[in-house]
Amino acid sequence: MAIVSSVFVVAPPQVDGRCYVTEKHQRDDDSILEIEYGPVDKIDYQTVANERATQINQDEIEAVQHELEQQQAQEKLDAVFDQAIKDGKISPEEIKKAVGIDVIVDKAIGEIGMELAG
Amino acid sequence: MTTRYYDNAGGSNTSGYDTWAKAATSFATFAGIFSAGEAGFLNAASTGESVASLSPTFAGTPASPNIIMGGTKATSPDKISALTTGAKVTISGTTLGVLGSFHMWGMNFTMTSNSSFGAAFAANGATVQYYEQCSIIMQGTGGSTTISIGSGNGGNSTYVQFDNCTFSMNSGGQRIYLQGRVFIRGGSYAAQANQPTAIFNYDGTRAAHVTIDGFDFSAMASSASLFQNFGANGYCLIRNPKLPSSWTGSILSGTIGAGSRIVMINGDNGNTNYRLNVIDYAGTIRDETSIVRTGGSSDGTTPHSYRLKVATTTINYPHAMASEDMYIWIDSTGSHTISCEVVYDAGTLFNNDELYLDVEYMGTASQPKLNFEYSTRCDPLTKFNAGQAAAGTSSSESWPNATGTGPNGSSTWNKRTITSAAFTTTQKGWIIARLMCNKSAQTIFYDDKLAVT
């Protein structure tokens, strides 16, 4: 859902002469992301909007990357559990009954020596 | 209780770590020796430890936390002469996870890996971590490195507080992820060569209740936003932050999840005191100093009102965008009404199921339990029987700058008084009123100087 066009609307000035600015960023699925900022003195509003569109597109790429990393971390955690069960260090019942999952994680870290943090 | 010591600059790393001479030279070892409830000292001159990974786990619990104090080393007896910042561990690899419950004073965690990774503080459930005068510095330039605060994969129920702490990141895509209960009081963001495009993120995996009071954001990029995204089931209150000058950022650059709300009260770079910036799933609110009511709300110098815009997301009765709570003290018992003045541009008046006042009052003499009055909002049966609700009451108040084409695209400005139905207070006390609007994509201006009869 990349942003394909960005426009802005400048509201009438506030009492100090500064204005609120509303940007409307259109995505390639036709949805609109609206962002308001200010009040600001007169600036190059279109440049600000274009730079923000670039930022948002980049943020969304990185968000996908982050989600992938979270998924990999979860897979790593699952692998630790699987190994712990296989080695008889933790029973499946223990996991099923786990009220404090952190206790199990600590035990897995301690007994298998794998690093999970992060 | 044994007191524990960390001194990378002069300790001998001798088991027990219970004197300066025997002090641990490894922070992870230091953390691991604690029993719940024990205290320990950090030599503020300990700046030289560098490790590839760091996963310190303190035995402290919410009921019996550890107390870790950084300071100037003193002997006979072994302690510190004063609390001082300076103790530092550098993490060169891609693992940092700080576990356990504690109050930590004056520690610096500096991460230098240029690979992306996730550092985690209080990732396990049932954890209380209180950092004071500490620093979390990401020097590495990994493009998607995250610093996660609170409730991670390890469980819920975390409380993490930062008093006068410093945070810093070094890449456009780096973020501080907030989850669980997070309270940031004072402190600042420190700039490095590369500035993040947003400081925080809340992905909605778990609930977040965040308070940020008096934080100095002024060193972040003037175009940066406070949050990239703010997922569902979250609430963030930001009070009196210092923002960059000529800030073109927003409190949120991405999307907000259902049921979530971010409120920034008086965020500015100047000496204003009436700023309000709210982003809610149901709409937004901003302070307004142009379209204001004569004789209305003022800080003594600058009259102001608030501009409430309902989101274009499908918002409809009974879901509504709510103003912030407006309080007024009623010093007598008996029958009262509350009124709120509004103005909006629209060719067709908003009905009283689209714009109404929600009032809470003390209506029970023997207890503080609140009673509720939805002002003139029609009940569902009335609306059903009448086919539609009725328009609100017109007002003779003056809004001098409510002229020309307004934000809704109309040049017809409607001044209305939104008045509650009569209610009876049985105790003196605060009345809480919220203006509610569910007219999708429409904007209204309201004055929070309420009138009471």
Side-chain angles (χ1 to χ4, degrees), chain B residues 70-318:
Chain B
T72 306
K73 189 173 160 182
T75 54
S76 303
D78 280 5
K79 57 174 190 170
I80 55 172
S81 58
L83 292 164
T84 314
T85 60
K88 174 183 174 183
V89 177
T90 301
I91 301 95
S92 60
T94 57
T95 298
L96 173 60
V98 184
L99 301 175
S101 294
F102 51 75
H103 176 184
M104 186 179 293
W105 204 105
M107 186 64 192
N108 178 319
F109 298 97
T110 294
M111 294 155 275
T112 60
S113 174
N114 290 330
S115 299
S116 292
F117 71 104
F121 295 81
N124 280 357
T127 297
V128 174
Q129 294 187 354
Y130 175 21
Y131 297 88
E132 194 172 1
Q133 301 280 352
C134 292
S135 300
I136 298 175
I137 310 295
M138 181 65 70
Q139 285 184 353
T141 57
S144 58
T145 291
T146 58
I147 299 168
S148 294
I149 308 294
S151 303
N153 288 336
N156 262 320
S157 312
T158 59
Y159 177 95
V160 188
Q161 180 169 340
F162 297 91
D163 278 11
N164 293 316
C165 291
T166 301
F167 300 87
S168 187
M169 292 177 282
N170 198 17
S171 176
Q174 293 180 355
R175 300 286 183 271
I176 299 170
Y177 275 65
L178 304 175
Q179 293 196 114
R181 180 70 174 107
V182 180
F183 187 11
I184 299 173
R185 195 170 65 167
S188 61
Y189 178 79
Q192 298 183 64
N194 304 298
Q195 290 276 48
T197 55
I199 303 299
F200 300 114
N201 212 343
Y202 162 55
D203 64 11
T205 306
R206 296 180 187 275
H209 182 180
V210 178
T211 305
I212 301 172
D213 280 351
F215 192 82
D216 187 348
F217 290 101
S218 61
M220 72 179 188
S222 62
S223 59
S225 298
L226 300 189
F227 280 89
Q228 178 184 337
N229 289 307
F230 200 79
N233 306 315
Y235 178 77
C236 179
L237 175 62
I238 307 166
R239 290 183 289 208
N240 292 78
K242 183 180 180 185
L243 300 171
S245 60
S246 302
W247 186 45
T248 57
S250 167
I251 55 176
L252 178 69
S253 61
T255 55
I256 189 162
S260 288
R261 186 172 175 107
I262 307 172
V263 176
M264 183 166 75
I265 296 172
N266 205 32
D268 206 330
N269 189 260
N271 61 346
T272 54
N273 54 16
Y274 50 80
R275 295 275 184 237
L276 179 64
N277 191 336
V278 177
I279 293 185
D280 186 293
Y281 181 71
T284 60
I285 306 172
R286 298 301 298 263
D287 55 274
E288 170 70 32
T289 58
S290 175
I291 297 176
V292 297
R293 178 170 70 101
T294 301
S297 196
S298 171
D299 66 351
T301 303
T302 306
H304 57 267
S305 66
Y306 297 102
R307 173 167 47 87
L308 181 152
K309 182 177 181 182
V310 181
T312 51
T313 311
T314 304
I315 300 296
N316 209 334
Y317 174 88

Side-chain angles (χ1 to χ4, degrees), chain A residues 37-107:
Chain A
Y37 66 91
V40 292
D41 292 318
K42 188 172 183 181
I43 54 175
D44 186 341
Y45 308 115
Q46 190 61 56
T47 297
V48 172
N50 293 344
E51 288 176 353
R52 196 185 320 277
T54 303
Q55 277 180 17
I56 291 168
N57 285 338
Q58 184 62 32
D59 287 347
E60 292 187 353
I61 291 168
E62 284 163 357
V64 170
Q65 175 68 22
H66 177 73
E67 195 173 331
L68 183 64
E69 287 169 358
Q70 293 284 89
Q71 190 180 340
Q72 288 169 343
Q74 186 61 49
E75 286 169 359
K76 193 174 174 184
L77 181 65
D78 292 342
V80 170
F81 285 147
D82 291 345
Q83 188 64 46
I85 293 167
K86 190 176 175 184
D87 294 348
K89 305 291 187 185
I90 300 170
S91 69
E93 290 71 27
E94 199 172 2
I95 291 178
K96 284 178 190 169
K97 287 189 288 186
V99 175
I101 191 74
D102 50 326
V103 174
I104 304 298
V105 173
D106 287 347
K107 194 170 177 182

Side-chain angles (χ1 to χ4, degrees), chain B residues 229-437:
Chain B
N229 289 307
F230 200 79
N233 306 315
Y235 178 77
C236 179
L237 175 62
I238 307 166
R239 290 183 289 208
N240 292 78
K242 183 180 180 185
L243 300 171
S245 60
S246 302
W247 186 45
T248 57
S250 167
I251 55 176
L252 178 69
S253 61
T255 55
I256 189 162
S260 288
R261 186 172 175 107
I262 307 172
V263 176
M264 183 166 75
I265 296 172
N266 205 32
D268 206 330
N269 189 260
N271 61 346
T272 54
N273 54 16
Y274 50 80
R275 295 275 184 237
L276 179 64
N277 191 336
V278 177
I279 293 185
D280 186 293
Y281 181 71
T284 60
I285 306 172
R286 298 301 298 263
D287 55 274
E288 170 70 32
T289 58
S290 175
I291 297 176
V292 297
R293 178 170 70 101
T294 301
S297 196
S298 171
D299 66 351
T301 303
T302 306
H304 57 267
S305 66
Y306 297 102
R307 173 167 47 87
L308 181 152
K309 182 177 181 182
V310 181
T312 51
T313 311
T314 304
I315 300 296
N316 209 334
Y317 174 88
H319 191 193
M321 175 62 189
S323 73
E324 283 290 281
D325 290 350
M326 298 179 280
Y327 288 79
I328 189 165
W329 179 268
I330 292 189
D331 205 41
S332 62
T333 59
S335 180
H336 302 281
T337 62
I338 298 285
S339 296
C340 179
E341 295 292 335
V342 307
V343 67
Y344 58 88
D345 64 299
T348 305
L349 291 171
F350 296 174
N351 286 330
N352 59 4
D353 61 341
E354 297 169 326
L355 179 60
Y356 54 94
L357 205 57
D358 171 7
V359 175
E360 301 179 4
Y361 62 98
M362 307 273 269
T364 307
S366 59
Q367 51 171 282
K369 183 177 173 297
L370 286 166
N371 293 55
F372 306 96
E373 176 55 60
Y374 276 113
S375 83
T376 52
R377 190 186 86 179
C378 65
D379 63 65
L381 182 59
T382 302
K383 182 180 178 184
F384 179 83
N385 288 337
Q388 68 170 41
T393 307
S394 64
S395 166
S396 58
E397 293 293 314
S398 175
W399 298 74
N401 289 339
T403 59
T405 302
N408 299 326
S410 173
S411 57
T412 302
W413 287 86
N414 306 289
K415 298 179 292 185
R416 315 302 287 180
T417 303
I418 310 301
T419 304
S420 73
F423 57 88
T424 301
T425 57
T426 53
Q427 296 185 60
K428 298 177 181 179
W430 290 106
I431 305 298
I432 307 168
R434 284 177 294 276
L435 188 68
M436 313 290 284
C437 187

